[in-house]
Amino acid sequence: MTLVAPERLAPIGLDELVDDAALLTRVDRKYLVPADEVASLLDAAPEGTRELEIDGRRAFAYRSTYYDTADLAAFHLAGRGRRRRFKVRSRSYVDTGTTWLEVKVPGPRGTTVKERIEYPGLDAAFVDAALAVGRITGVTAADLRPVVVTSYRRRTLLLPEGSRVTIDHDLGWTDLRGERDAHLARPGLAIVETKSPSTPSAFDRLLWRRGHRPTTLSKFAVGLAALDPDLPRLKWARILKEIR
């Protein structure tokens, strides 16, 4: 689905975006919205909002491979809201051909800490050190294997206050566990994620005015649960009704 950008959103280059919004420790809020509402949300974005543009393009293809243990420890920890949950993935920027290895762990006061390096494969030393930052015990890089791939197209906004907003559309998932030939596509849905230091951003307040509230949403876990009906729904029961 093509999402038309309002012309009033001025472009911002990647280097400037990184300099102005290097929020590696942040509060993330996620919303599931119909894809056909995104254009009107963009049109109502705060004055001064800029949108990432590279070589004349504003929507970029991503592909992420998520790693988990054989018993899906990351999936279950996330679904039960455990403090010491973690996420390990490789993220490919399809348009540029670059890939990063990323580890997310909990930080202080409800924040998320993300560590990343250029992807050389599943770098055990990097993964284990990043897990240690989040005090994740009982799991090492040696325990991990690829379990699911997510694909989507992303648009990125920088708000005047410095917060970022990502809008992911053309959503797709593929199960890698070899237990079934499973693929799921949801082009009619979009995932909007706000990333701010602590307090809700102006875009959060815009979403609230439109009737959208933050939801318990993980592309990795919700996609895996939607692909595999044998997995427990955990805290994603409501959102899975919209994804499945």
Side-chain angles (χ1 to χ4, degrees), residues 75-76 177 179-180 224-233 244:
F75 172 85
H76 288 285
R177 295 173 298 157
E179 299 168 11
R180 57 183 53 80
L224 196 57
L227 285 161
D228 186 350
D230 294 331
L231 289 175
R233 294 182 295 175
R244 280 179 170 160

Side-chain angles (χ1 to χ4, degrees), residues 3-169:
L3 307 179
V4 178
E7 292 183 358
R8 73 176 185 84
L9 293 186
I12 183 172
L14 181 59
D15 289 343
E16 187 179 359
L17 176 72
V18 171
D19 288 342
D20 287 354
L23 296 174
L24 295 184
T25 301
R26 68 209 185 188
V27 177
D28 298 346
R29 297 175 180 87
K30 299 179 183 179
Y31 305 81
L32 186 68
V33 304
D36 58 10
E37 289 186 24
V38 170
S40 65
L41 286 169
L42 289 170
D43 193 47
E47 196 68 35
T49 296
R50 292 185 288 171
E51 184 171 23
L52 176 64
E53 181 175 298
I54 301 174
D55 296 331
R57 289 178 290 131
R58 296 196 177 193
F60 306 93
Y62 287 70
R63 178 182 173 90
S64 296
T65 300
Y66 288 85
Y67 293 83
D68 205 345
T69 61
D71 60 355
L72 300 180
F75 172 85
H76 288 285
L77 287 168
R80 292 179 169 85
R82 296 293 189 262
R83 166 66 179 159
R84 298 304 173 198
R85 60 193 179 274
F86 66 94
K87 189 176 292 179
V88 179
R89 70 184 176 196
S90 64
R91 169 178 283 181
S92 297
Y93 298 80
V94 177
D95 300 295
T96 62
T98 56
T99 301
W100 295 82
L101 177 63
E102 301 180 344
V103 181
K104 288 185 177 182
V105 295
R109 296 182 294 278
T111 60
T112 299
V113 178
K114 181 172 71 174
E115 305 277 355
R116 73 174 191 167
I117 59 172
E118 288 193 48
Y119 183 62
L122 194 65
D123 186 305
F126 167 77
V127 171
D128 290 343
L131 292 174
V133 169
R135 300 181 181 178
I136 309 300
T137 60
V139 177
T140 68
D143 302 316
L144 302 175
R145 60 172 183 164
V147 294
V148 69
V149 169
T150 65
S151 59
Y152 50 95
R153 296 184 64 78
R154 168 168 290 185
R155 303 178 68 159
T156 301
L157 310 179
L158 179 66
L159 304 186
E161 67 205 44
S163 297
R164 270 187 294 158
V165 179
T166 59
I167 302 169
D168 297 342
H169 55 102

